[in-house]
Amino acid sequence: MLPGTVRPTFVARDETKEGGRRAAVLSRVGRVDAEAMMRAGRDWLKGPEPWSRRMLAGDLTIAGVLALLGLGVDELSKSSDVKMVLGAVSVFALVLLRRRLPAATLVLGAAASAFLPAVFLVTIVLGWSGGRRIVGVGRALCAFVLAFLASVALTLVDQWSQMRPVLTVVFTTLLFLAATVMPGLASRYWHQRRTLLSALQERNDQLVRERTMVAGQARLRERQRIAQDMHDSLGHQLALISVHTGALEVDPALTGRQREAVGVLRQASVAAMHELREVVGILRDGVEAPAPVDEAQPAARGVAGIAGIVEAARAAGTDVRLGTAGRPRPLVAACDHAAYRIVQEALTNAYKHAPGSAIAVELRYEDDSLVVEIANGPAAGRGSGEVVSGGQGLTGLRERARLVGGMVHAGATEDGGFRVAGVLPYGTEPAGAAEEVAGGVADDFGQRSQARMLALRGGTRAAPPMDWAALDRELSVPVRSRAGGVAMGCGIAVAALVLLVIVLGAGVALLVGSANNAMIGRSVYDGVHVGESEQDVRNRLPDGDSVLTSGLEHKGPPRPAGADCFALLSAEDSEMTSDTVFRFCFRDGKLVDKQVYEVKQ
């Protein structure tokens, strides 16, 4: 075989592979395009509303129920199979498209109901959907007017040869008002009320947020003012105390004991300046201010710091004894700080109200709590100078202990002394009861804890930042509006029901009148004879202008040529499956033929 004959074979194979790859690529592109088109169609179908699987299942369920009811209506109206199929397809199409095209489906549904009896029930759903989803009063009015005109006009076209035009217009108008307009008005009112309540709720939330921000800013400004006053007044006095005690400490005229006592005073003033700086920083910014590196750090404010304040009291000449019982256990930060403050406040009260008396401080680690007890004896003598007291120390201790799940008891002892005892749990404090700041120590003022702020301001005398009663009154307004809305909705429903009853009553009255105008007895039929004048016969018979007799004269035996015939129903011999029909035919002013026959229903 020549080389030239082999090469085309490989080329053909390469072209075949390339063609297969190209076909595969085109197939994948086609699938991608088909999927994209399906997604686009689904997005277009659901419209601006989020169409979840639940909503789709609900729409399909509604369409299925209405389609089954429509088939029943078609069966009662003796519709053809083609009309039944078209009615079911129209029901599903209109229900699924009503979210995307509310106005168009409303007009199309009203027009189709003139020819397809199964579509009539869907107009209720379309009226409800159109009243809610058609944007603008003008557009909604135009859509409902067009739907009404289409329904009336096409019903006239369909029933022109069988019914009176005036009755057709009146009956169609009443049905349209009851089945389409009333659901549309109720839906529009419900949707507008729901939108209004949503807007009011959103605005109320915004006002509450703005009021909270304004209240927070006011509290921040007040805290800053208090911080500035504390810094300007207490800071100046503590600085003077520190300067004078520092100068006094190096006075050569003092003895060693006196110099040691002055040193304790200077350290106390420095520690007080540190705590004042921390409090001022918390009031201003909500965080502790860092201490300068050239000054001594403040004492630890926890159980570990109790020994320090006891030693400071001893150095100042006070007889203070510290005892510990049980196995020491760690406490959470808030409880640890509360124990320190209980001891500090109790020692301060003893200094002021029982100067010179012995003080006993005891820490007992029980199984579930720490018991802190401070007891002092009666005063050894009258204190010098005025005792300055704000009267809020013990109240603040009780509130501080309550916030961490503990308690504080204070009262006089039998020997004339005073006793303060606190019980503090080991476990985690209640949420929001205590705050921790830098270094894991709870701050004195606790601006981030509303309950502790209330405690340090004097318990219940401080007002909370949010007026919850006023907020409840504001939120209760939509509840009262909801009652009024329910009453209005019930009124609309009752009006729709009354209108529907009126329509049904008018329909029943029309049918009864039509039946009286379309039926005769057998004796009346037998009393009419061929050859009598047309005028005499018509005077003795009803005119037969009724929906019940429409088209009956064309059924039965053949009619005489050139004769004008009309049919009446038998009032006696009609059965459930067939009707007995009496037909009278006239020609040239005389009765030329009369027939009796059965017509299946």
Side-chain angles (χ1 to χ4, degrees):
M1 183 178 294
L2 296 177
T5 60
V6 177
R7 186 170 183 177
T9 303
F10 286 106
V11 172
R13 291 178 180 176
D14 293 340
E15 291 178 354
T16 302
K17 293 180 180 179
E18 184 64 25
R21 286 194 295 268
R22 188 182 298 110
V25 171
L26 292 176
S27 177
R28 286 195 297 270
V29 171
R31 286 197 301 269
V32 171
D33 292 342
E35 293 176 357
M37 292 178 63
M38 291 178 61
R39 285 195 300 269
R42 186 167 58 249
D43 294 339
W44 178 88
L45 183 63
K46 70 182 181 182
E49 298 182 16
W51 201 8
S52 61
R53 294 182 178 178
R54 183 178 179 181
M55 295 176 64
L56 179 59
D59 286 349
L60 292 176
T61 302
I62 293 174
V65 172
L66 293 177
L68 290 177
L69 294 176
L71 291 176
V73 174
D74 285 333
E75 186 68 25
L76 291 176
S77 60
K78 302 180 181 62
S79 300
S80 62
D81 295 339
V82 176
K83 278 192 174 183
M84 289 184 178
V85 174
L86 288 178
V89 172
S90 300
V91 167
F92 275 92
L94 292 173
V95 171
L96 293 178
L97 290 174
R98 63 187 174 88
R99 298 180 185 274
R100 187 64 179 86
L101 303 171
T105 53
L106 176 63
V107 176
L108 292 176
S113 63
F115 300 101
L116 302 174
V119 183
F120 170 73
L121 296 176
V122 186
T123 56
I124 301 175
V125 179
L126 298 179
W128 178 274
S129 180
R132 174 188 174 186
R133 293 181 173 85
I134 298 177
V135 180
V137 178
R139 294 183 60 185
L141 182 61
C142 291
F144 277 87
V145 169
L146 288 176
F148 170 71
L149 294 178
S151 177
V152 172
L154 295 177
T155 302
L156 283 174
V157 171
D158 185 57
Q159 303 291 335
W160 182 265
S161 61
Q162 303 179 15
M163 295 183 62
R164 295 176 180 177
V166 177
L167 292 178
T168 301
V169 172
V170 172
F171 194 72
T172 304
T173 302
L174 292 176
L175 284 179
F176 185 82
L177 289 176
T180 306
V181 175
M182 294 304 296
L185 291 176
S187 173
R188 195 165 191 85
Y189 165 76
W190 176 79
H191 179 66
Q192 288 179 349
R193 175 181 169 277
R194 187 176 181 182
T195 303
L196 178 61
L197 288 180
S198 178
L200 290 176
Q201 184 66 37
E202 183 179 356
R203 178 164 179 80
N204 181 74
D205 295 341
Q206 181 181 358
L207 290 176
V208 170
R209 290 193 299 268
E210 291 178 354
R211 186 171 63 180
T212 303
M213 293 175 60
V214 171
Q217 293 176 355
R219 289 197 303 271
L220 181 60
R221 287 194 297 268
E222 182 66 16
R223 287 165 51 182
Q224 291 176 346
R225 185 189 65 80
I226 295 174
Q228 189 64 40
D229 290 344
M230 291 178 61
H231 180 272
D232 294 342
S233 59
L234 296 180
H236 176 70
Q237 299 298 331
L238 291 175
L240 288 178
I241 293 174
S242 178
V243 170
H244 285 291
T245 53
L248 186 61
E249 188 178 11
V250 297
D251 189 348
L254 295 179
T255 64
R257 176 68 177 171
Q258 292 173 337
R259 187 175 290 107
E260 183 179 355
V262 171
V264 171
L265 292 178
R266 189 182 68 80
Q267 292 293 334
S269 64
V270 171
M273 289 180 65
H274 277 294
E275 294 196 8
L276 177 63
R277 182 180 293 108
E278 293 174 4
V279 172
V280 169
I282 293 169
L283 286 175
R284 283 179 174 173
D285 306 321
V287 296
E288 284 195 20
V293 295
D294 57 345
E295 298 186 18
Q297 295 294 328
R301 291 177 292 174
V303 174
I306 293 178
I309 58 176
V310 169
E311 289 298 330
R314 290 174 182 169
T318 304
D319 183 9
V320 183
R321 297 186 303 273
L322 175 63
T324 303
R327 182 175 60 85
R329 295 176 57 181
L331 284 79
V332 294
C335 295
D336 194 42
H337 184 60
Y340 177 85
R341 288 304 186 193
I342 291 173
V343 175
Q344 186 183 48
E345 181 64 25
L347 291 177
T348 302
N349 289 337
Y351 298 156
K352 292 189 294 184
H353 300 290
S357 64
I359 305 173
V361 179
E362 184 176 3
L363 304 177
R364 295 198 303 272
Y365 291 92
E366 304 289 349
D367 293 336
D368 57 352
S369 61
L370 169 66
V371 179
V372 181
E373 184 175 352
I374 305 95
N376 61 270
R382 296 181 58 85
S384 60
E386 180 183 3
V387 177
V388 180
S389 176
Q392 299 297 323
L394 293 177
T395 302
L397 290 182
R398 292 190 180 96
E399 185 66 17
R400 185 190 295 273
R402 184 187 67 81
L403 291 176
V404 297
M407 59 179 295
V408 169
H409 172 75
T413 59
E414 295 179 355
D415 59 355
F418 199 79
R419 174 177 173 271
V420 177
V423 180
L424 303 173
Y426 298 122
T428 304
E429 69 273 19
E435 299 289 340
E436 293 188 33
V437 292
V441 181
D443 64 83
D444 288 329
F445 282 78
Q447 292 298 322
R448 290 166 291 173
S449 174
Q450 183 63 28
R452 298 189 64 191
M453 188 66 182
L454 288 173
L456 294 178
R457 285 184 179 180
T460 58
R461 294 185 302 181
M466 182 63 66
D467 187 2
W468 295 109
L471 181 59
D472 291 339
R473 288 194 299 271
E474 292 178 7
L475 294 178
S476 65
V477 173
V479 175
R480 294 194 294 270
S481 300
R482 180 178 301 173
V486 170
M488 181 65 72
C490 292
I492 293 176
V494 170
L497 182 61
V498 170
L499 184 59
L500 184 59
V501 170
I502 293 174
V503 171
L504 293 177
V508 171
L510 289 175
L511 289 176
V512 171
S514 179
N516 293 331
N517 197 34
M519 292 184 178
I520 60 174
R522 184 77 182 192
S523 59
V524 177
Y525 173 78
D526 293 337
V528 177
H529 303 285
V530 176
E532 295 184 20
S533 65
E534 180 179 357
Q535 187 64 35
D536 292 340
V537 174
R538 288 187 181 275
N539 289 337
R540 285 183 289 171
L541 298 177
D543 57 8
D545 188 7
S546 173
V547 66
L548 299 177
T549 60
S550 61
L552 294 179
E553 69 275 6
H554 299 287
K555 301 177 181 179
R559 297 186 301 174
D564 182 18
C565 302
F566 77 96
L568 298 174
L569 292 173
S570 173
E572 302 166 353
D573 300 335
S574 297
E575 298 179 359
M576 294 298 296
T577 58
S578 63
D579 294 324
T580 301
V581 180
F582 301 130
R583 186 177 68 185
F584 303 90
C585 298
F586 302 94
R587 185 173 58 199
D588 298 331
K590 293 183 178 181
L591 179 64
V592 296
D593 183 64
K594 70 173 187 176
Q595 297 286 340
V596 57
Y597 51 88
E598 299 291 330
V599 175
K600 292 184 179 181
Q601 295 182 358

